[in-house]
């Protein structure tokens, strides 16, 4: 096993972050890894609510803001059926950030995301709101799932804000939505609700419990037995970055070996 993914390095990483729990330490020492779930979605689609739902407690701050910092990510540690999981919540490409993202900062955050997640993932969870699927979703799927993860791990789609549908899976039962999602090859689609708080909290509570049960079942059933490490070489990073440039209209696009020199110039 490569040095950076050894169980001792992983354990030291968790200890250094000061959020280790006994169960995490035990699993790392016994198996050499912790189950890691990558959660991808734009700001405002309900990712934080999904994190809190899976954790069954408030872990992430919920915000309706339409903008976010591209490639920023947070890690949350939860237990399910006495097993530890790490949830990695990342914004990815964000529709509301167009025209507001600084090229250099976006590139640095992309490299940081890759470096700090070399341990890989057991599965990826895409989060969207019921309704129109925009260009950011399609580009995130291409950049993260097809390019970075090379389609090696299962992908699950969570469609939120379905609390008024009967059944909540009604959105996915529509032929046009089935046909639209077919090319993405999701292992499972979960249509439900992760809404929390508000004046209708008590009425929605049973639906949240149903959602938690269904979503955890999908994750446990579909995820791999161990995370597949992220192996991003220079060419892959270049493809990722050029895709970001296409999306945001950046001018720092590279088609030659000058990309390596540019990264060295930025000290990345």
């Amino acid at each position: 096993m490569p040095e950076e993914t050894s169980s001792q390095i992983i354990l030291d990483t968790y200890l250094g972050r000061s959020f280790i729990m006994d169960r995490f330490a035990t699993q790392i020492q016994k198996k050499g890894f912790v189950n890691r779930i990558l959660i991808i979605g734009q700001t405002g689609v309900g990712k934080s609510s999904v994190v809190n739902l899976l954790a069954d407690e408030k872990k992430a701050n919920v915000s309706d803001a339409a903008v976010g910092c591209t490639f920023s990510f947070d890690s949350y540690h939860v237990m399910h059926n006495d097993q530890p999981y790490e949830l990695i919540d990342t914004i990815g490409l964000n529709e509301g950030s167009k025209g507001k993202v600084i090229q250099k900062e976006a590139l640095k955050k992309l490299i940081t995301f890759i470096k700090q997640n070399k341990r890989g993932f057991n599965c990826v969870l895409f989060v969207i709101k019921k309704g129109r699927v925009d260009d950011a979703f399609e580009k995130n799927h291409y950049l993260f799932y097809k390019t970075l993860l090379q389609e090696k791990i299962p992908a699950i789609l969570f469609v939120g804000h379905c609390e008024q549908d009967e059944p909540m899976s009604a959105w996915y039962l529509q032929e046009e939505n089935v046909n639209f999602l077919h090319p993405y090859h999701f292992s499972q689609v979960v249509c439900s609700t992760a809404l929390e708080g508000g004046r209708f909290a008590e009425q929605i509570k049973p639906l949240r419990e149903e959602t938690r049960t269904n979503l955890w079942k999908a994750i446990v059933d579909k995820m791999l037995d161990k995370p597949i490490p992220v192996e991003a070489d220079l060419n892959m990073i270049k493809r990722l970055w050029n895709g970001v440039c296409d999306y945001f209209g950046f001018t720092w696009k590279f088609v030659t070996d000058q990309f390596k020199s540019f990264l060295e110039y930025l000290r990345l």
Side-chain angles (χ1 to χ4, degrees):
M1 180 179 291
E3 181 181 353
E4 65 269 24
T5 59
S6 69
S7 59
Q8 186 57 52
I9 292 295
I10 295 173
L11 181 57
D12 289 344
T13 300
Y14 281 96
L15 289 170
R17 290 182 180 177
S18 301
F19 48 48
I20 192 69
M21 297 183 295
D22 289 343
R23 295 300 175 85
F24 278 84
T26 299
Q27 175 154 330
I28 293 168
Q29 291 171 335
K30 287 177 60 176
K31 297 184 177 181
F33 66 87
V34 167
N35 295 318
R36 307 182 80 237
I37 312 302
L38 176 62
I39 303 176
I40 300 175
Q42 296 188 71
T43 301
V45 298
K47 288 188 292 84
S48 296
S49 294
V50 169
V51 169
N52 294 336
L53 182 78
L54 292 172
D56 199 17
E57 64 176 298
K58 186 175 179 60
K59 290 272 190 179
N61 292 322
V62 178
S63 171
D64 291 327
V67 297
C69 193
T70 295
F71 300 122
S72 293
F73 67 95
D74 293 295
S75 295
Y76 303 97
H77 297 79
V78 304
M79 299 292 295
H80 175 68
N81 287 346
D82 211 31
Q83 294 295 316
Y85 291 82
E86 183 177 5
L87 309 179
I88 298 87
D89 171 10
T90 183
I91 293 173
L93 300 181
N94 198 39
E95 188 75 19
S97 295
K98 284 187 174 180
K100 302 176 182 179
V101 175
I102 300 173
Q103 298 179 92
K104 183 175 180 179
E105 291 305 312
L107 179 55
K108 282 186 174 182
K109 287 186 178 295
L110 174 61
I111 302 300
T112 299
F113 175 85
I114 294 173
K115 284 183 175 180
Q116 295 190 12
N117 287 284
K118 287 183 178 180
R119 298 189 303 281
F121 310 98
N122 300 65
C123 78
V124 56
L125 177 65
F126 285 88
V127 179
I128 64 172
K129 280 184 177 180
K130 182 185 72 173
R132 184 180 70 90
V133 178
D134 58 26
D135 183 52
F137 165 77
E138 298 184 23
K139 184 64 74 172
N140 277 326
H141 185 273
Y142 173 77
L143 290 179
F144 281 93
Y145 189 61
K146 287 194 172 183
T147 305
L148 180 63
L149 303 177
Q150 302 179 62
E151 302 181 271
K152 291 181 178 179
I153 66 174
I156 298 170
L157 177 65
F158 178 84
V159 183
H161 295 263
C162 297
E163 61 277 354
Q164 295 185 17
D165 294 345
E166 181 57 44
M168 285 197 289
S169 59
W171 183 86
Y172 187 56
L173 297 177
Q174 298 175 23
E175 184 177 0
E176 61 178 319
N177 294 326
V178 173
N179 292 337
F180 174 78
L181 293 176
H182 179 71
Y184 295 97
H185 304 295
F186 287 110
S187 298
Q188 190 162 337
V189 177
V190 178
C191 297
S192 212
T193 183
L195 287 179
E196 50 188 311
R199 59 185 298 190
F200 299 111
E202 285 303 311
Q203 292 92 321
I204 292 178
K205 187 175 180 179
L207 298 180
R208 281 176 52 83
E209 292 300 322
E210 177 184 335
T211 299
R212 180 181 296 110
T213 299
N214 292 341
L215 189 52
W216 267 120
K217 185 178 187 305
I219 291 172
V220 173
D221 287 350
K222 302 301 181 182
M223 75 176 192
L224 301 177
D225 292 335
K226 62 185 298 185
I228 291 184
V230 173
E231 299 176 352
D233 58 21
L234 188 62
N235 286 329
M236 178 185 290
I237 295 174
K238 183 168 66 176
R239 291 199 304 273
L240 284 168
W241 177 246
N242 285 346
V244 174
C245 290
D246 288 338
Y247 182 77
F248 285 116
F250 289 166
T251 57
W252 290 1
K253 189 172 180 179
F254 295 88
V255 294
T256 68
D257 291 339
Q258 67 183 142
F259 187 62
K260 182 177 182 180
S261 299
F262 183 69
L263 292 181
E264 292 174 351
Y265 168 73
L266 294 177
R267 296 182 179 179
L268 295 175

